[in-house]
Each structure stands twice: as C-alpha cells, then as structure tokens.
C-alpha cells in the first residue's frame, strides 16, 4: 500500500521527524495535535475548552488534507494537563464527535511541550468507500482545472 505523509509546514516537523498525519491505504493516523493557530501561536491560553476546540479544528484540517472527514474517525486519544478539566475537554470533543462516537481515552499527563498547552489529541480514521457526491465531483473538477 502507498504511504502519504501529510505536513502542515511547521518548523518542528522536520526537526523532530514527524508528519501531522500519515495515510496508508484507507487508514489515517493523526499525530498528537495541539491548539496552535495559523500564526503559530497557541489559541486559548488558560482555557481547556477553547484549546480543545482549536485542536479538533486542526485535526479536521489534517484529515481533509489526507482525504478524510471527521466522520471517518474511529479513535481519539486525549491527553490533558489537568484531569479536573475533563468536562470542558469532553464537552468540546462531544460537540465534534457526539454523533460519530469514536472509541476514545482521556488521560492526565505530566506535562506538554509548553506549560501553556492544556490539551493534546491524536486521532485515527478509516476512510470508508463512498461514491463522490455530484457536488464534490464538480468541485474537484473545478479545482483540477485551476491547477493546470
């Protein structure tokens, strides 16, 4: 099976030697992801709920780059700096995955790369075969014309 590494272009990916996500066949593994915004700064300093929302948006973006959707996620792992914040983290996770309901775990860890980081989440997805909708097919066709 072909392997596809997904990069978001952060300075840490080549230094540490990781990809934001890796797709092999229909399976996608998303690396531990935090609440880093597009500007490289942490979103939601001091707010576990806000950090979880941004983290899940980042995961959703990585999945899209790998050809998947949140609906394809079968497992998440949530790492929290303070387990007392579990309800805030869980509420945000539920807003994204309440209908999908992947297998998951939430554990408290001793620390993150930055003391301001309160949440880190990993995800695994399996892309189920689905016929492209007419709207998606038309959008892909327009996109391919622009890139020629």
């Amino acid at each position: 099976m072909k392997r596809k590494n997904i990069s978001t272009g952060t300075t840490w990916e080549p230094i540490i030697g990781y990809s934001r996500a890796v797709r092999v066949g229909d399976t996608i593994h998303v690396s531990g992801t935090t609440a880093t915004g597009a500007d490289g700064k942490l979103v939601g300093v001091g707010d576990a709920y806000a950090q979880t929302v941004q983290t899940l948006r980042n995961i959703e973006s990585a999945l899209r780059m790998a050809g998947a959707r949140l609906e394809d996620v079968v497992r998440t792992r949530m790492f929290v700096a303070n387990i007392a914040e579990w309800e805030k983290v869980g509420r945000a996770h539920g807003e994204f995955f309440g209908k999908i309901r992947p297998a998951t775990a939430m554990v408290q860890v001793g620390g993150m790369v930055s003391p301001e980081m309160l949440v880190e989440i990993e995800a695994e997805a399996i892309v189920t075969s689905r016929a492209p909708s007419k709207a998606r097919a038309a959008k892909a066709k327009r996109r391919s014309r622009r890139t020629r």
Side-chain angles (χ1 to χ4, degrees):
M1 283 188 223
K2 187 176 177 183
R3 173 189 174 117
K4 179 181 179 183
N5 291 346
I6 309 299
S7 174
T8 54
T10 68
T11 57
W12 296 109
E13 289 173 6
I15 292 169
I16 296 173
Y18 75 97
S19 296
R20 172 58 42 218
V22 176
R23 180 172 181 161
V24 178
D26 291 336
T27 303
I28 300 162
H29 300 275
V30 181
S31 291
T33 303
T34 60
T36 306
D39 61 359
K41 295 180 182 173
L42 188 65
V43 173
V45 173
D47 184 340
Y49 172 82
Q51 284 193 24
T52 304
V53 168
Q54 181 62 42
T55 297
L56 292 169
R57 286 179 182 151
N58 292 347
I59 287 171
E60 184 175 30
S61 176
L63 289 167
R64 272 196 311 271
M65 288 189 284
R69 308 174 303 177
L70 286 176
E71 290 83 357
D72 297 314
V73 172
V74 296
R75 179 164 182 74
T76 60
R77 291 178 188 87
M78 297 177 275
F79 305 98
V80 297
N82 180 358
I83 200 67
E85 302 275 8
W86 74 268
E87 288 180 271
K88 295 174 186 175
V89 174
R91 181 168 43 97
H93 187 274
E95 289 171 5
F96 282 77
F97 291 111
K99 292 181 181 176
I100 302 162
R101 299 184 63 177
T104 195
M106 182 188 304
V107 297
Q108 179 173 313
V109 295
M112 309 280 184
V113 171
S114 165
E116 293 181 324
M117 290 178 179
L118 305 175
V119 178
E120 183 168 327
I121 302 174
E122 298 177 347
E124 296 173 13
I126 299 173
V127 179
T128 57
S129 64
R130 54 186 173 261
S133 70
K134 290 181 182 179
R136 262 197 315 244
K139 185 177 180 181
K141 191 174 183 178
R142 284 192 305 274
R143 193 175 327 131
S144 71
R145 281 190 210 139
R146 285 192 304 244
T147 59
R148 289 183 190 172

